[in-house]
Amino acid sequence: METNKLNRLAASDPVLVLFLGIFPAIAVTDDVRAALAAAGITFLILVLSSIFAALLGRFLTAGSKVAVYMLLNTALAVSAQIVLQALSSEIHGMVGIYAALLAITLSIPNCFVDGKSSFARVLLRAVLSGICLAALLCVSAAIREVFGNASFMGLKIDALAGFKISILTKAPGGFGVLAVLSAVICAICNHVSSGSNAARTAAKTEEV
Amino acid sequence: MSLKELLFILLAAALADHLLFTRFLSAVPMLGRTGTRKTITFGLIVAGITALASAVNHPIRNALISADKAYFCAYAAVIAALAASFLVEFVLKDSQKSLGVYYPVTALNAAFLTCVCGKYTEGFKIGGVLLRSFGGGLGLLLAMLALGGVLDEINEKYVPAAFRGLPVMLLAASIVSMVLFAF
């Protein structure tokens, strides 16, 4: 049961499972504030667009879904960016075009939502995806900012100033950190599933 | 604009100012694993659609910026890319080369590149915009081929279990990115 939950949670991450938005995700994870803002915007857009997908799914043809959802998500992303700029122009500058690109990319899974899927299930999947994506962005951003820039949320960490690994804030570092994080997630999932398989086998042997 | 300048714009867009690995911009780069011929066809179609959409988007973007409505630039770019993708699909529909299942991915990549190329072609004339956008698409194609090449050389037998699949792909992308960083 626990294994299923964990695997389902890992499988909800659109970046790790479908490679969607992998590049914008790397772009916004060199600063924790930018990652938080992008995660917030994406979470909001994922949930709202899933609600629309669940409501509109039965009325749209497969061909028109791509265009409708892409335009819908862009409209949501533009609105979110206007609100973000009103709240903080500094963070808006950091996130730039990437939050919108991340949101547009994540509209693709909605194209596979049909009218038969229940509203609660579609919403639950969007919330899970948003939470997993937010966690991944924040952890990746924290590692890259602390070790690559010797700072956290823009505050300098003097103890690490002499040990900065500046490549971590660049593209190769971004890919590397994401690779290590996805390997850790894989290792945890493998470990839990092998443990649960062993327990199941032991239980079956006992039964026999 | 001289031919030399135009060539410089094309090469800079395809290699040096690489949208994928220096600005982290594209949608599904891992498609490099679907076979070289398909990748080349897909990359060229994306580059063509992006160039077409950018040419349409350029005057609209300039008008939006001069009207102080820059927020809607992304929206205009996505509409232009969708229209261009639809046009290409419509033209190819009767032939055997219809985009088919690749239509969403192609439209998505072209929309991405059109959005971004609009941002990096400010002050360019129409010829420059066309080449910059086409170069961006070629850059995507080159990256997919390079990634596909690196991934084909990896024998997963020697890769630790946790790193098999996506992690090793990302490490390969990191290496290719480091190479392109040298430009």
Side-chain angles (χ1 to χ4, degrees):
Chain A
M1 192 72 178
E2 198 182 319
T3 322
N4 285 343
K5 270 185 190 168
L6 190 74
N7 285 340
R8 215 182 299 154
L9 203 66
S12 306
D13 199 316
V15 172
L16 291 185
V17 177
L18 302 169
F19 314 137
L20 291 177
I22 220 161
F23 285 76
I26 291 170
V28 293
T29 54
D30 58 350
D31 189 291
V32 177
R33 290 169 297 170
L36 279 172
I41 290 175
T42 314
F43 182 80
L44 205 69
I45 292 170
L46 263 175
V47 172
L48 287 176
S49 74
S50 298
I51 292 173
F52 283 122
L55 294 175
L56 297 174
R58 69 191 68 181
F59 304 112
L60 297 171
T61 57
S64 63
K65 274 182 184 173
V66 180
V68 171
Y69 295 146
M70 224 187 262
L71 288 174
L72 196 69
N73 276 17
T74 314
L76 290 171
V78 168
S79 316
Q81 276 191 314
I82 294 171
V83 173
L84 183 66
Q85 194 178 23
L87 293 174
S88 165
S89 55
E90 191 196 349
I91 296 176
H92 176 260
M94 281 180 195
V95 174
I97 199 169
Y98 298 109
L101 294 182
L102 197 56
I104 295 168
T105 318
L106 296 178
S107 64
I108 287 291
N110 285 339
C111 298
F112 305 107
V113 173
D114 52 12
K116 288 167 199 160
S117 309
S118 78
F119 184 76
R121 178 178 271 191
V122 174
L123 195 64
L124 183 72
R125 203 192 63 190
V127 171
L128 273 179
S129 299
I131 291 170
C132 291
L133 184 74
L136 184 77
L137 290 183
C138 292
V139 172
S140 172
I143 294 171
R144 290 178 68 195
E145 195 186 349
V146 168
F147 295 105
N149 211 18
S151 66
F152 185 74
M153 303 269 282
L155 302 168
K156 291 273 165 221
I157 304 171
D158 293 330
L160 290 173
F163 307 99
K164 277 198 277 191
I165 311 164
S166 54
I167 192 88
L168 283 180
T169 57
K170 306 272 187 313
F175 284 114
V177 169
L178 208 56
V180 172
L181 280 179
S182 57
V184 169
I185 293 170
C186 277
I188 293 171
C189 288
N190 289 346
H191 182 74
V192 174
S193 65
S194 65
S196 140
N197 283 345
R200 215 174 293 147
T201 318
K204 264 188 186 170
T205 322
E206 213 168 89
E207 260 179 38
V208 171
Chain B
M1 230 182 256
S2 67
L3 187 69
K4 197 178 164 187
E5 274 178 307
L6 290 174
L7 200 65
F8 180 76
I9 291 174
L10 182 72
L11 286 178
L15 293 170
D17 194 14
H18 201 284
L19 293 172
L20 201 88
F21 286 117
T22 60
R23 297 189 194 277
F24 315 102
L25 296 160
S26 191
V28 194
M30 308 303 174
L31 276 174
R33 304 209 81 180
T34 54
T36 313
R37 205 173 156 185
K38 269 186 188 170
T39 308
I40 291 172
T41 317
F42 170 78
L44 287 176
I45 290 176
V46 169
I49 293 176
T50 309
L52 190 66
S54 294
V56 176
N57 182 45
H58 188 62
I60 301 170
R61 185 185 158 81
N62 285 346
L64 283 172
I65 289 172
S66 57
D68 206 19
K69 289 191 168 55
Y71 290 118
F72 299 105
C73 287
Y75 210 72
V78 172
I79 293 173
L82 282 171
S85 312
F86 183 74
L87 188 73
V88 170
E89 173 68 356
F90 186 74
V91 170
L92 295 177
K93 207 173 182 178
D94 293 332
S95 69
Q96 294 294 311
K97 289 170 186 164
S98 169
L99 296 176
V101 289
Y102 289 101
Y103 175 68
V105 188
T106 315
L108 182 72
N109 274 285
F112 247 82
L113 292 172
T114 313
C115 254
V116 179
C117 287
K119 197 169 156 44
Y120 296 108
T121 49
E122 276 167 19
F124 277 40
K125 284 183 183 164
I126 193 75
V129 173
L130 272 172
L131 278 180
R132 181 71 178 81
S133 325
F134 192 72
L138 284 186
L140 174 77
L141 169 62
L142 278 178
M144 289 196 300
L145 287 175
L147 255 181
V150 173
L151 291 172
D152 283 345
E153 293 301 315
I154 295 172
N155 188 345
E156 290 224 335
K157 203 171 79 179
Y158 302 109
V159 177
F163 273 86
R164 281 177 202 156
L166 178 66
V168 79
M169 270 188 201
L170 286 170
L171 284 180
S174 177
I175 294 165
V176 177
S177 166
M178 227 181 276
V179 172
L180 283 165
F181 226 71
F183 277 102

